[in-house]
Amino acid sequence: AAKDLGRSRFCYFTPAMQEAAEIRLRLTNDLRHALTDNQIWVAYQPIVDLATGEIKKAEALVRWQHPTRGLVSPAEFIPIAEDSGLIAEIGSWVFHQVANQVAKWRVNHHSMFQISINKSPAQFHNNSDKMADWFEHLNRLGLPGGCIAVEITEGLLLDNSSVVSDKLLAFKDAGMQTSLDDFGTGYSSLSYLKKYHIDFLKIDQAFVSNLVANSTDMALCEAIIAMAHVLGMKVIAEGVETVEQRDLLIKAGCDYGQGYLFSKPVTAEEFEKLFPVEKTESVASS
Ligand code: C2E
Ligand code: MG
Ligand code: MG
Ligand code: MG
């Protein structure tokens, strides 16, 4: 066995790696057809004003209903989409889907929610991702840019290339807002937040799930929230699962909460049932 171990140091491709690579290759091929075969759909997770408990926004989370594998997690297929270049097509599809849905809700329910969509770093560098088409689509629907917020991650802000800052500026010019997702897990630097005029900071669920009174995480949350407010940002806590966590977040001065305590990500139809009836929400006011 020792000899095997020694030899395995020179083996670049183990059977487990081979199998993982095969699954990945198959999923890549399947993903090419997923959009046209209507296997991709968008789930919506409410974002709640912590002070009032009212739903103010939602996050769009992409879902893949695979014909034989069932629901494949975006944590599994988004990296595949990024590597294969399919992310531009999926990202664009999600954006159009969300915009159409917002327009429909405005007409049918007289409600307009700001929906945030996730954009991975790969989508910023891909030139086939045409921002102008997005803005044109919103115009066609008669929607203000403020009905969309774009969620980005910290790593992106470290990238000093003009591609990134140009696109972030283009969002701002179109009236869209920006959120920094998973804050605290990456290379957090407050100077970036200021430089790019980020509107919302989303505290990663890793901090929220460990939240207990008088803990280090509580102190961290309080500090992050206070600094975000100084910089003019609103704070959204991710992964709020318990009443205790919610109450501590309120105590820490957090503005919004998102998590299973309020609702899991649901279909558009299920989300409609959570709407406050006959109430117009101004998307400009965050
Ligand atoms: P994220 O943007 O940080 O999204 C939050 C994740 O936390 C979602 O996982 C959501 O279902 C989950 N979540 C929400 N509340 C709770 C809670 O109370 N407890 C726990 N344990 N989890 C909670 P999901 O939907 O599996 O998405 C995973 C990641 O995939 C997202 O993380 C995002 O980075 C990526 N993703 C999802 N949709 C898209 C998309 O359309 N485009 C891109 N580029 N990435 C996406
Ligand atoms: Mg997100
Ligand atoms: Mg997140
Ligand atoms: Mg995440």
Side-chain angles (χ1 to χ4, degrees):
K3 200 171 138 203
D4 287 347
L5 267 177
R7 279 178 56 190
S8 72
R9 284 178 56 205
F10 301 101
C11 180
Y12 295 110
F13 226 57
T14 65
M17 280 162 75
Q18 171 107 40
E19 202 193 316
E22 275 165 15
I23 289 175
R24 223 179 139 86
L25 190 63
R26 237 175 289 143
L27 280 179
T28 307
N29 284 326
D30 293 349
L31 196 54
R32 287 187 211 288
H33 309 289
L35 273 178
T36 42
D37 291 351
N38 295 318
Q39 293 165 17
I40 305 282
W41 57 281
V42 178
Y44 295 86
Q45 187 176 34
I47 297 174
V48 166
D49 181 339
L50 285 174
T52 64
E54 271 181 274
I55 298 174
K56 294 286 185 180
K57 308 162 183 295
E59 177 175 8
L61 294 157
V62 72
R63 295 288 179 263
W64 180 15
Q65 186 66 47
H66 189 283
T68 54
R69 279 167 199 276
L71 212 54
V72 182
S73 161
E76 188 174 3
F77 76 82
I78 289 293
I80 291 175
E82 287 169 352
D83 290 350
S84 60
L86 288 165
I87 192 70
E89 205 183 324
I90 292 173
S92 180
W93 185 86
V94 168
F95 173 82
H96 284 81
Q97 190 74 17
V98 167
N100 294 345
Q101 188 64 70
V102 171
K104 219 164 110 187
W105 281 332
R106 184 162 75 161
V107 172
N108 297 345
H109 298 267
H110 310 288
S111 307
M112 189 147 55
F113 291 91
Q114 181 183 63
I115 309 291
S116 63
I117 56 171
N118 291 279
K119 246 173 117 61
S120 47
Q123 289 173 267
F124 275 80
H125 298 295
N126 194 322
N127 283 326
S128 61
D129 185 11
K130 296 192 185 66
M131 292 296 96
D133 291 349
W134 288 25
F135 304 146
E136 213 181 286
H137 190 64
L138 286 183
N139 272 333
R140 246 196 322 268
L141 293 169
L143 291 176
C147 66
I148 301 287
V150 179
E151 296 198 8
I152 56 165
T153 44
E154 287 170 276
L156 186 74
L157 300 184
L158 287 178
D159 190 320
N160 272 320
S161 80
S162 59
V163 185
V164 171
S165 48
D166 286 354
K167 282 196 180 178
L168 286 175
L169 278 174
F171 291 136
K172 294 259 107 181
D173 285 346
M176 293 185 190
Q177 293 193 299
T178 46
S179 303
L180 193 63
D181 207 353
D182 305 339
F183 186 79
T185 58
Y187 313 89
S188 321
S189 163
L190 291 162
S191 63
Y192 291 113
L193 305 181
K194 210 180 145 197
K195 182 176 165 197
Y196 292 108
H197 304 283
I198 304 291
D199 299 286
F200 301 101
L201 195 151
K202 299 189 81 171
I203 301 181
D204 192 74
Q205 56 188 56
F207 293 102
V208 177
S209 59
N210 294 322
L211 215 52
V212 277
N214 305 317
S215 62
T216 313
D217 279 318
M218 181 63 183
L220 265 174
C221 278
E222 283 171 333
I224 290 170
I225 293 162
M227 286 189 285
H229 285 167
V230 166
L231 292 170
M233 291 182 284
K234 300 277 188 191
V235 182
I236 303 168
E238 301 192 88
V240 184
E241 292 185 349
T242 68
V243 171
E244 290 75 19
Q245 289 163 359
R246 182 201 62 193
D247 290 346
L248 287 169
L249 286 162
I250 291 173
K251 203 172 157 227
C254 191
D255 306 286
Y256 300 98
Q258 177 183 353
Y260 298 165
L261 173 68
F262 309 110
S263 169
K264 292 201 168 190
V266 294
T267 63
E269 291 72 28
E270 286 169 310
F271 184 67
E272 281 169 18
K273 294 184 197 132
L274 304 171
F275 278 10
V277 184
E278 291 292 302
K279 196 156 164 260
T280 310
E281 190 63 53
S282 164
V283 297
S285 73
S286 50

